[in-house]
Amino acid sequence: MLPILERSAMAAGQAILEVYDSGPAITYKADTSPVTDADHRAERIILAELAAAFPDIPVIAEESVAAGNVPDIAGQRFFLVDPLDGTKEFVDRDDHFTVNIGLIENGEPVAGVVYAPALGVIYAAKDGQARKAMVADGRIAGGWSRIGCRQIPERPVAVASRRHSSAETIAYLAEQGITDCEAIGSSLKFCLLAEGRADLYPRFSRTMEWDTAAGDAVLRAAGGETLTMEGQPLAYGKRDQPNDGDFANPWFIARARRL
């Protein structure tokens, strides 16, 4: 499965880069978030690839959900797809945007691919192993390297959302005595934890499951964890939530290994 997910993500990334170079056409959703022709092109590519290879596995994809296309996922594994995570970064010509494909089983992210096409780097995870590779001309360059979280040091390094910070995030970092924090867009925050370049990612603002599933899969396979404020693993496939919409995440803290 993983090579197919990797190939799908890289094909979508190539389409995104073509739009990135020529300039995107931008529209806005009902929640005022931007969407571009790159989002739609990338999602069509991924959906076609997944349908051909895994016709029995339903796919929850961001733009399809926005259009009202939500397949039944009750009692079965399913994919979560964000074809272009970090659309605002993409529009502003900031290279920190990603293609995300995650596989969910029993509410857990068990496999995933995160591809940052403008940075030429891809992360993947399955069966408790996480890996990273560089990409050039749409192909893996130099082979894969296994990655893993580091133990959280006495002076941990945090990553936080570049565009969705909050007073609660600032307060949490102060309470924890964390002064080294990098603001970065997209699911790359999970991947920085997974490869041992950072230790904590507090997210005290809204995310959706397709934003987090692939990166969370990479982090968990690398030895980390993503916990809700109640200390429970972040779950996926959340429908009919009493206080939020379908597939919306609660606040969470992603972190590397504890000491």
Side-chain angles (χ1 to χ4, degrees):
M1 175 181 285
L2 202 56
I4 296 173
L5 301 188
E6 293 160 359
R7 182 187 69 204
S8 301
M10 287 189 289
Q14 183 60 41
I16 289 170
L17 287 180
E18 291 172 2
V19 177
Y20 193 53
D21 292 337
S22 62
I26 306 166
T27 56
Y28 292 87
K29 303 179 188 179
D31 62 0
T32 73
S33 62
V35 61
T36 73
D37 46 340
D39 295 76
H40 293 295
R41 287 180 61 183
E43 184 162 303
R44 285 195 296 269
I45 289 169
I46 295 169
L47 292 180
E49 292 270 358
L50 295 182
F54 312 107
D56 297 328
I57 303 179
V59 182
I60 302 296
E62 180 177 11
E63 305 312 329
S64 295
V65 170
N69 300 319
V70 185
D72 182 17
I73 59 169
Q76 57 186 318
R77 60 181 182 166
F78 64 97
F79 290 112
L80 276 164
V81 171
D82 189 343
L84 177 48
D85 183 29
T87 300
K88 291 181 180 178
E89 279 76 14
F90 175 81
V91 169
D92 288 346
R93 302 198 63 79
D94 178 323
D95 290 346
H96 294 89
F97 54 86
T98 58
V99 179
N100 298 335
I101 307 173
L103 177 68
I104 307 301
E105 292 184 356
N106 300 317
E108 299 180 11
V110 297
V113 172
V114 175
Y115 176 40
L119 299 176
V121 61
I122 187 169
Y123 301 84
K126 193 175 186 293
D127 298 329
Q129 294 189 1
R131 60 186 189 174
K132 172 187 177 181
M134 304 308 294
V135 178
D137 299 322
R139 297 182 180 181
I140 301 298
W144 290 91
S145 299
R146 188 166 177 181
I147 59 173
C149 297
R150 67 186 182 187
Q151 289 187 330
I152 300 178
E154 290 185 8
R155 295 186 60 182
V157 175
V159 287
S161 174
R162 175 170 290 168
R163 297 179 182 274
H164 302 284
S165 186
S166 64
E168 291 85 358
T169 302
I170 295 170
Y172 173 81
L173 295 174
E175 290 167 4
Q176 299 297 314
I178 298 173
T179 57
D180 191 349
C181 181
E182 180 181 1
I184 190 170
S186 79
S187 58
L188 284 169
K189 293 182 284 293
F190 287 101
C191 299
L192 293 179
L193 269 62
E195 63 176 317
R197 292 173 56 189
D199 306 293
L200 292 169
Y201 166 30
R203 184 60 184 249
F204 303 151
S205 58
R206 199 169 194 258
T207 59
M208 303 300 290
E209 292 184 10
W210 46 76
D211 297 319
T212 62
D216 194 4
V218 172
L219 176 60
R220 296 190 197 198
E225 59 186 357
T226 302
L227 303 177
T228 67
M229 304 312 292
E230 292 73 37
Q232 299 300 311
L234 184 63
Y236 292 83
K238 301 182 289 294
R239 305 290 304 271
D240 302 318
Q241 300 190 85
N243 299 315
D244 211 336
D246 289 353
F247 308 112
N249 288 324
W251 291 358
F252 62 81
I253 298 173
R255 63 190 183 190
R257 292 189 179 97
R258 283 184 168 276
L259 288 171

